[in-house]
Structures are given as structure tokens and as C-alpha cells.
Amino acid sequence: MDKELIWDIAEAIANQIRPNRKTVPMRNLITNIGGEILDTNNIFELSDGSIEKLPNNNFRILLYNGNATLERENFTIAHELGHLFLHMGFGTERWKSTPVGKIFNRNGNSDEIEMEANQFAAAFLMPKEEYRNILYKNVDNNNIIDTRIIAEHFEVSREAASNRGKWLGYLKW
């Protein structure tokens, strides 16, 4: 799937289900749209989270790293939302045919599917225009930006903020 299409989808969904990003924590967002979160410390799991369809037609996000920072947790939850909307069809006709118990996690998916979920998460958490505005407000006279400022604004890691800027073409790889 084209990354710009993914970004458009992610931002449209974010505008619908999380219009007040600053006042709705990601965990609350999940319960607001009918999902649940289960925290578990599974030392054998190689990913930070997964998502599954439940018998009641809702979904559950499993978070495997109980010691994750809020920033890492936000990205993991948004990544799982990427699977929910892009790959499972939540809220569409396709959702009805998604098997109960269908699990998406890094171990069972292609790199392409994981990249799509990462692109979704980045756009969901860091909308393009808002990212650009924060970037330009905080660039110094030498055209240098401290990505920590962007990361703090969006409550994501510096790596996530940096990657989003690179994908958007604002920062160099």
C-alpha cells in the first residue's frame, strides 16, 4: 500500500476517533472505540504488542513490555491500530469476515505489513501539518532542529519523531 495513502487513512481515522489528541490518552481511546488492553510481561514475545479479534466483535491489544515508556506504549498501541484498520478492516464490511482470534504481531507478519502499521502509527500520532508547524517553530538559525522537542510534543520517542520527519522529507536520512 502506498505510504501517502496510509498517512491519509491514519489521519482521517485519528480525526474521527481522537479529535482531541492532547486530552485523550491512547489507552482511553482504545476503550472508547470498543477495545481493551491487556498488559502482560511475556519474556518470550519478540514484539511489544499484538492485536486480536474477540468473539464479541471487538478487539484486544496485548502489550508485552510492562516496563515500556509512555512514548513507546503510545507508538505500540497506534501500530496495533494500524493492523486493526489497515489489515483487519475494523469498522468495514471486511471486519465481519476477519476470523475471531486473528492475531497480528511482528512474528507472524511480513516486513511490508509491519512497515504499513508503522507508517499508520506515525501518521496517526504525528499528523503531517502539525508536525511541519512544530518543526518550523523550533528550527534554529542554523536550520537545526532538536527532535526531542517534536517527540515531547507528540508523546513519542525521538526515534519515532525523527523517522516521521524523514518519511515526510523534512529531515535527512
Side-chain angles (χ1 to χ4, degrees):
M1 193 179 298
D2 177 64
K3 70 180 177 183
E4 293 194 21
L5 175 60
I6 293 170
W7 298 345
D8 290 345
I9 292 168
E11 287 192 35
I13 290 171
N15 288 335
Q16 287 293 311
I17 67 174
R18 195 180 185 210
N20 300 315
R21 181 180 53 76
K22 286 294 193 181
T23 60
V24 179
M26 289 297 288
R27 283 179 173 264
N28 293 9
L29 169 71
I30 299 308
T31 56
N32 290 351
I33 62 172
E36 59 185 63
I37 292 181
L38 177 63
D39 292 290
T40 179
N41 281 325
N42 184 345
I43 62 171
F44 300 106
E45 186 56 52
L46 299 176
S47 63
D48 290 339
S50 63
I51 190 162
E52 65 182 330
K53 184 176 179 180
L54 299 175
N56 63 1
N57 232 14
N58 286 331
F59 64 94
R60 174 176 33 225
I61 293 176
L62 295 94
L63 298 176
Y64 299 124
N65 183 355
N67 299 321
T69 64
L70 173 66
E71 294 80 9
R72 181 69 207 160
E73 183 178 285
N74 284 344
F75 199 87
T76 298
I77 292 170
H79 175 96
E80 298 309 327
L81 286 175
H83 287 309
L84 182 71
F85 289 104
L86 297 175
H87 306 128
M88 299 170 84
F90 186 72
T92 69
E93 200 60 32
R94 193 170 95 219
W95 176 249
K96 294 176 185 174
S97 64
T98 297
V100 169
K102 174 65 176 175
I103 296 178
F104 274 88
N105 66 17
R106 197 165 291 155
N107 301 331
N109 295 321
S110 72
D111 288 342
E112 183 178 343
I113 286 175
E114 289 305 308
M115 182 55 75
E116 289 173 353
N118 283 339
Q119 291 281 351
F120 180 97
F124 186 90
L125 295 169
M126 298 173 275
K128 183 179 183 175
E129 292 303 313
E130 186 176 355
Y131 187 101
R132 184 176 53 80
N133 291 339
I134 296 301
L135 178 106
Y136 289 144
K137 283 180 186 174
N138 292 287
V139 68
D140 71 15
N141 292 338
N142 296 317
N143 262 355
I144 295 176
I145 181 69
D146 182 351
T147 53
R148 184 184 69 236
I149 295 167
I150 297 170
E152 288 172 358
H153 177 82
F154 290 109
E155 297 180 320
V156 298
S157 70
R158 284 182 81 171
E159 181 181 14
S162 176
N163 285 341
R164 178 68 169 151
K166 291 169 186 172
W167 287 330
L168 290 168
Y170 300 141
L171 304 175
K172 292 182 181 177
W173 283 99

